[in-house]
């Protein structure tokens, strides 16, 4: 039987997966305005050279500037943070719980995670990006603690201290879609992905769903 994964490790995995929801290839932008008329005319009069996205040629003729039809992104994540562990309660045989914060005192508790994420993507339609997620991560947690007992004067003294480190290997795979729309540099993107993460401490993969809406405005610089 495998050891249950600590709850805070879910946060590490979630943080890593959240980074894997990073940005796909921008959006299809409708070129408008008199100052952009030359660019709009060139799009309408040119032949779109790629097979994807589907309907890409028609979108280009309609004055949309399209991103490249396919791409690959690679992201690396490293994060480290201190952990606060308190409210330690212990019970036996379904009996009452007892607070042991005075007896067991935690210090120097640190979580750390690193990972690499590969994300290939294609534009299936001019306003729909489809991508895959392939990731490998190594989260770990180091916990230091001491055991304290009172003496005859009710003064607490440390009688034992140690530290322990738990390391895990995690492999993630998933799929995602990003519907987008853009006009005059303004855009809306609704990024959604589903990811399954296999951690060696879990009996079955952990499932994660991320919905990441974004909106913004792109500006063209002279240089």
């Amino acid at each position: 039987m495998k050891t249950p994964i600590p709850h805070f490790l879910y946060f590490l995995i979630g943080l890593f997966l959240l980074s894997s929801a990073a940005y796909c290839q921008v959006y299809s932008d409708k070129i408008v305005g008199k100052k952009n008329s030359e660019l709009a005319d060139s799009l309408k009069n040119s032949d779109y050279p790629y097979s994807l996205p589907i309907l890409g040629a028609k979108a280009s003729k309609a004055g949309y500037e399209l991103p490249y039809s396919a791409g690959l992104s690679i992201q690396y994540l490293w994060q480290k943070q201190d952990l606060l562990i308190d409210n330690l309660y212990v019970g036996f045989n379904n009996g009452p719980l007892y607070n042991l914060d005075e007896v067991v005192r935690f210090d120097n508790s640190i979580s750390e995670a690193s990972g690499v994420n590969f994300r290939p993507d294609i534009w299936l339609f001019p306003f729909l990006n489809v991508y895959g997620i392939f990731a490998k991560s190594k989260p770990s947690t180091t916990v230091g603690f001491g055991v304290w007992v009172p003496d005859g004067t009710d003064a607490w003294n440390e009688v034992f201290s140690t530290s322990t480190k738990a390391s895990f290997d995690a492999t993630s795979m998933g799929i995602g879609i990003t519907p987008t729309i853009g006009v005059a540099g303004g855009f809306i993107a609704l990024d959604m992905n589903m990811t399954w993460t296999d951690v060696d401490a879990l009996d079955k993969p952990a499932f994660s769903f991320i919905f990441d809406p974004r909106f913004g405005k792109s500006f063209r610089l002279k240089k």
Side-chain angles (χ1 to χ4, degrees), residues 26-193:
V26 201
Y27 54 93
S28 300
D29 188 24
K30 174 68 172 178
I31 305 301
V32 297
K34 292 183 178 180
K35 64 179 181 179
N36 297 317
S37 59
E38 183 176 347
L39 175 58
D41 291 339
S42 67
L43 291 172
K44 294 176 181 178
N45 295 324
S46 62
D47 294 327
Y48 189 70
Y50 305 111
S51 300
L52 290 176
I54 300 171
L55 303 179
K58 290 186 176 180
S60 181
K61 294 292 184 182
Y64 282 91
E65 186 176 22
L66 304 180
Y68 287 119
S69 58
L72 173 66
S73 65
I74 302 175
Q75 295 119 23
Y76 174 77
L77 167 73
W78 177 83
Q79 73 103 37
K80 183 178 181 180
Q81 74 176 94
D82 295 328
L83 296 176
L84 175 62
I85 304 176
D86 56 8
N87 292 324
L88 175 64
Y89 284 83
V90 175
F92 300 94
N93 298 325
N94 296 319
L97 297 177
Y98 299 94
N99 186 284
L100 297 185
D101 281 345
E102 292 292 331
V103 178
V104 181
R105 303 182 186 184
F106 295 92
D107 60 354
N108 298 322
S109 300
I110 298 173
S111 68
E112 189 172 354
S114 62
V116 178
N117 173 56
F118 298 90
R119 177 172 164 157
D121 73 283
I122 62 169
W123 284 91
L124 185 61
F125 294 100
F127 311 110
L128 180 63
N129 185 269
V130 180
Y131 60 90
I133 297 173
F134 306 95
K136 187 74 174 179
S137 60
K138 295 183 71 66
S140 66
T141 303
T142 303
V143 177
F145 65 93
V147 177
W148 295 67
V149 296
D151 58 18
T153 62
D154 287 335
W156 290 82
N157 300 287
E158 186 177 33
V159 296
F160 174 77
S161 65
T162 188
S163 64
T164 180
K165 182 177 181 179
S167 299
F168 305 91
D169 288 312
T171 303
S172 302
M173 298 184 65
I175 57 174
I177 61 172
T178 307
T180 68
I181 186 171
V183 177
F187 68 90
I188 297 175
L190 305 176
D191 190 12
M192 295 167 278
N193 66 60

Side-chain angles (χ1 to χ4, degrees), residues 3-19:
T3 303
I5 194 169
H7 291 297
F8 55 80
L9 198 54
Y10 280 114
F11 169 76
L12 298 180
I13 297 172
L15 181 63
F16 176 71
L17 293 179
L18 184 60
S19 75

